[in-house]
Amino acid sequence: LFYCPALKCLQSLLSHPLLTPHISFIPWKVWTLAAHVCCTYEDWLSGDCASAIQDKLPEGGTVLGVILSSDKMNISVMSGNQMAYPLLISLANIALEIRSKISMHMYLLLALLPIPKFLHKDTCI
């Protein structure tokens, strides 16, 4: 079992020097017409939920959208075919075109949850 504190992961992402121009902390709206009739939702911060949360925060506070993802993966094929679920963390405040690039390493490993193998496959207790 591997675990890294979530706040340390988020602090690491926020302090990344290359991300400074690509992180947004203020919710915005994108309108398709000048009359503000139809709103286009491009990212999490352009949604109504982010604006509603930001309005409830005290002066100087900001919204951080946390993204968690997981998928079953094979850890070792040569030594027993071990499987685990990595839990990855990222920020929705990072621009999508940067966050989706694998080479930018915007998803950090928060936890590695092993899948135990039982000795007895008998389901009776």
Side-chain angles (χ1 to χ4, degrees):
L1 180 66
F2 170 81
Y3 171 77
C4 184
L7 287 179
K8 282 190 176 184
C9 291
L10 296 177
Q11 287 173 345
S12 174
L13 287 171
L14 288 171
S15 64
H16 197 293
L18 297 176
L19 285 181
T20 304
H22 304 289
I23 294 181
S24 178
F25 296 105
I26 301 169
W28 69 87
K29 296 279 184 192
V30 178
W31 302 97
T32 57
L33 300 172
H36 296 270
V37 177
C38 187
C39 187
T40 303
Y41 300 102
E42 297 176 352
D43 206 350
W44 180 74
L45 283 173
S46 67
D48 296 330
C49 183
S51 297
I53 294 171
Q54 183 68 42
D55 292 340
K56 293 178 185 177
L57 291 176
E59 186 68 30
T62 189
V63 176
L64 287 180
V66 177
I67 300 171
L68 295 173
S69 65
S70 182
D71 194 11
K72 189 176 181 181
M73 69 176 277
N74 198 354
I75 294 177
S76 62
V77 176
M78 302 297 267
S79 61
N81 203 14
Q82 301 294 322
M83 303 293 281
Y85 282 98
L87 183 61
L88 305 172
I89 189 169
S90 188
L91 282 173
N93 299 62
I94 301 171
L96 180 62
E97 58 271 3
I98 300 299
R99 191 176 64 234
S100 61
K101 287 184 182 178
I102 296 173
S103 62
M104 293 295 289
H105 305 289
M106 293 297 106
Y107 285 88
L108 301 178
L109 183 62
L110 182 63
L112 187 61
L113 309 171
I115 302 172
K117 289 187 177 182
F118 297 103
L119 297 175
H120 303 289
K121 296 190 185 241
D122 191 13
T123 58
C124 296
I125 295 176

